[in-house]
Amino acid sequence: MTPGHGSTVDGVLRRSARRTPARIAVEYGDRSWTYEELDAAVSRAATVLRDEGLAPGDRVGAYGHNSDAYLIAFLACARAGLVHVPVNQNLTGDDLAYIVGQSGSTLVLADPDLAGRLPGGVRTLPLRDAAGSLLARLDTARAYDGPEPGAGDLVQLLYTSGTTALPKGAMMTHRALVHEYLSAITALDLSAGDRPVHALPLYHSAQMHVFLLPYLAVGATNTVLEAPDGDRLFDLIETGRADSLFAPPTVWIGLANRPDFATRDLGGLRKAYYGASIMPVPVLRRLRERLPSLAFYNCFGQSEIGPLATVLGPAEHEGRMDSCGRPVLFVEARVVDEDGKDVPDGTPGEIVYRSPQLCEGYWDKPEETEEAFRGGWFHSGTSPYGTRTATSRSSTGSRTSSTPVASSSPRARWRTPSTPTPPSPRPP
């Protein structure tokens, strides 16, 4: 690629920092970062990682709770050409060891309270709250002056949650994720004036890539919480510091069932995003009756596509609450039968995709990759009903997806696909 034409994940932040350097980008606990400060912190963190002896293409595990340090670490990996490997903070034992080992992570950035769970012999660096942590070393580190990654380079391995097989690392490039950010911005009506709260785990692609990074791209002020605490969320909404929230139905149900749901001033909440499973219609109706101006968005997808694939917007919720909506900007989707032919309306089938948001395949799993991308389309392994205007998905299960649906097909369980030849750690 010609120099100056790159489109990288860390470039999303850099551009926002040039446009609005003094605007608050992220608030976490008692710390806040302007866009200029956050970009500078990412640059220094990239230098810290390089000084640890890491080279472009090396995999770096991330095993921590939500924090500003977790975000900085991801963007620093992106800037230094490293491949970030987010690890579910709840994994332990063999499950944890598998992802660290299968990814070939050279270093694991870990919160101090989690580091003891890692397998012996794994090289670690504290993310925060410890002497010599990544966050502590920012004060003395220099700005990054090393090589920059290209749009086609790997930036992250997103591990699918294997149900019948071992997890697979979906190989995401800078180009794929930047396309996904644009899809999220347009389909979800994200804007600089929003005040989003990010309370779900950042190791998951939905919170990081559908909301936090796209919101950084548009220049919004973001609040990061360690968990979706109801008291904290209601306080933020009442004080005008939160008007946009993404959560699975379980969290929305918990919020709606709180004794103070009917008495707190929650009218400032303007955008409600949900996914990962079906939102019970009675709960959705209750939320809409209590907060009639609240716009609901149903988000559907899977890790391999960044993860956002389809959205049911506010105007389409009436009468279509079982639908996962329409494909987003950079996604082409079909519902097909076992022969790859489009199914008639109302007939169960498998969703297949073509999109620049798609992963390059699965890390070190060439057979699975070839199977997943057969016929020039990515085969998702899920079986919704197809229609010409929207797609409905079965409620029988999902893998790494977000969103609801209306089918009772037993084939609706996500299948973890595979990847062809594992590219070198520094793909072209």
Side-chain angles (χ1 to χ4, degrees), residues 165-245:
L166 291 170
K168 302 176 181 67
M171 301 183 293
M172 307 305 299
T173 64
H174 287 265
R175 181 188 296 112
L177 289 182
V178 171
H179 275 89
E180 198 272 349
Y181 300 160
L182 292 172
S183 287
I185 290 166
T186 55
L188 302 177
D189 302 317
L190 309 184
S191 70
D194 293 348
R195 287 298 305 263
V197 177
H198 307 276
L200 297 190
L202 293 177
Y203 72 76
H204 195 282
S205 57
Q207 189 69 81
M208 181 69 88
H209 297 313
V210 180
F211 295 98
L212 183 48
L213 262 295
Y215 264 127
L216 288 173
V218 299
T221 294
N222 300 269
T223 298
V224 174
L225 303 182
E226 287 206 5
D229 175 76
D231 289 337
R232 182 73 174 128
L233 288 171
F234 280 11
D235 287 345
L236 288 169
I237 295 168
E238 275 196 328
T239 57
R241 296 174 60 200
D243 64 10
S244 170
L245 175 66

Side-chain angles (χ1 to χ4, degrees), residues 15-379:
R15 287 189 286 272
S16 290
R18 289 186 179 276
R19 289 196 313 272
T20 57
R23 178 178 293 171
I24 298 297
V26 172
E27 296 177 333
Y28 170 75
D30 60 358
R31 290 193 294 264
S32 65
W33 306 80
T34 66
Y35 273 92
E36 184 176 52
E37 290 168 342
L38 185 61
D39 186 59
V42 167
S43 181
R44 294 194 296 269
T47 297
V48 171
L49 295 176
R50 182 187 62 184
D51 290 349
E52 287 290 317
L54 299 173
D58 284 347
R59 275 78 64 213
V60 178
Y63 188 46
H65 305 286
N66 283 7
S67 69
D68 49 357
Y70 192 97
L71 171 64
I72 289 168
F74 168 57
L75 290 168
C77 286
R79 185 157 296 179
L82 304 170
V83 182
H84 186 261
V85 183
V87 181
N88 184 333
Q89 65 204 33
N90 298 309
L91 290 185
T92 59
D94 292 342
D95 293 334
L96 174 60
Y98 172 79
I99 289 181
V100 173
Q102 203 275 337
S103 65
S105 291
T106 304
L107 176 73
V108 176
L109 302 169
D111 278 350
D113 64 325
L114 299 180
R117 301 178 184 175
L118 289 162
V122 173
R123 185 180 166 210
T124 63
L125 175 67
L127 268 170
R128 53 177 175 145
D129 303 330
S133 69
L134 178 68
L135 200 61
R137 291 169 64 178
L138 298 184
D139 291 337
T140 57
R142 306 175 309 281
Y144 182 71
D145 60 359
E148 295 185 0
D153 289 342
L154 293 188
V155 65
Q156 197 169 55
L157 297 183
L158 288 174
Y159 275 83
T160 62
S161 54
T163 52
T164 60
L166 291 170
K168 302 176 181 67
M171 301 183 293
M172 307 305 299
T173 64
H174 287 265
R175 181 188 296 112
L177 289 182
V178 171
H179 275 89
E180 198 272 349
Y181 300 160
L182 292 172
S183 287
I185 290 166
T186 55
L188 302 177
D189 302 317
L190 309 184
S191 70
D194 293 348
R195 287 298 305 263
V197 177
H198 307 276
L200 297 190
L202 293 177
Y203 72 76
H204 195 282
S205 57
Q207 189 69 81
M208 181 69 88
H209 297 313
V210 180
F211 295 98
L212 183 48
L213 262 295
Y215 264 127
L216 288 173
V218 299
T221 294
N222 300 269
T223 298
V224 174
L225 303 182
E226 287 206 5
D229 175 76
D231 289 337
R232 182 73 174 128
L233 288 171
F234 280 11
D235 287 345
L236 288 169
I237 295 168
E238 275 196 328
T239 57
R241 296 174 60 200
D243 64 10
S244 170
L245 175 66
F246 166 67
T250 52
V251 171
W252 286 111
I253 292 169
L255 295 176
N257 288 338
R258 285 175 58 94
D260 57 350
F261 176 68
T263 59
R264 299 290 292 269
D265 181 6
L266 306 177
L269 186 62
R270 299 185 301 110
K271 297 177 181 179
Y273 303 98
Y274 64 95
S277 63
I278 294 173
M279 176 79 84
V281 173
V283 174
L284 188 55
R285 285 179 177 153
R286 183 181 175 193
L287 289 166
R288 296 176 78 188
E289 288 170 2
R290 171 70 176 84
L291 302 167
S293 63
L294 185 57
F296 285 89
Y297 298 76
N298 187 355
C299 310
F300 173 84
Q302 63 188 103
S303 294
E304 290 91 336
I305 201 162
L308 191 64
T310 68
V311 170
L312 184 72
E316 297 180 310
H317 262 72
E318 208 59 51
R320 302 299 298 273
M321 293 182 185
D322 64 347
S323 172
C324 56
R326 304 172 188 273
V328 296
L329 182 63
F330 286 110
V331 171
E332 181 181 359
R334 298 163 56 216
V335 182
V336 302
D337 60 20
E338 293 181 353
D339 296 322
K341 297 178 180 178
D342 292 350
V343 300
D345 287 359
T347 304
E350 181 187 24
I351 299 181
V352 294
Y353 301 113
R354 286 196 303 203
S355 172
Q357 296 177 198
L358 280 166
C359 66
E360 297 295 298
Y362 297 103
W363 181 259
D364 203 19
K365 292 185 181 291
E367 293 83 6
E368 291 90 334
T369 299
E370 184 175 0
E371 168 67 13
F373 283 89
R374 66 188 184 277
W377 292 75
F378 174 77
H379 291 253

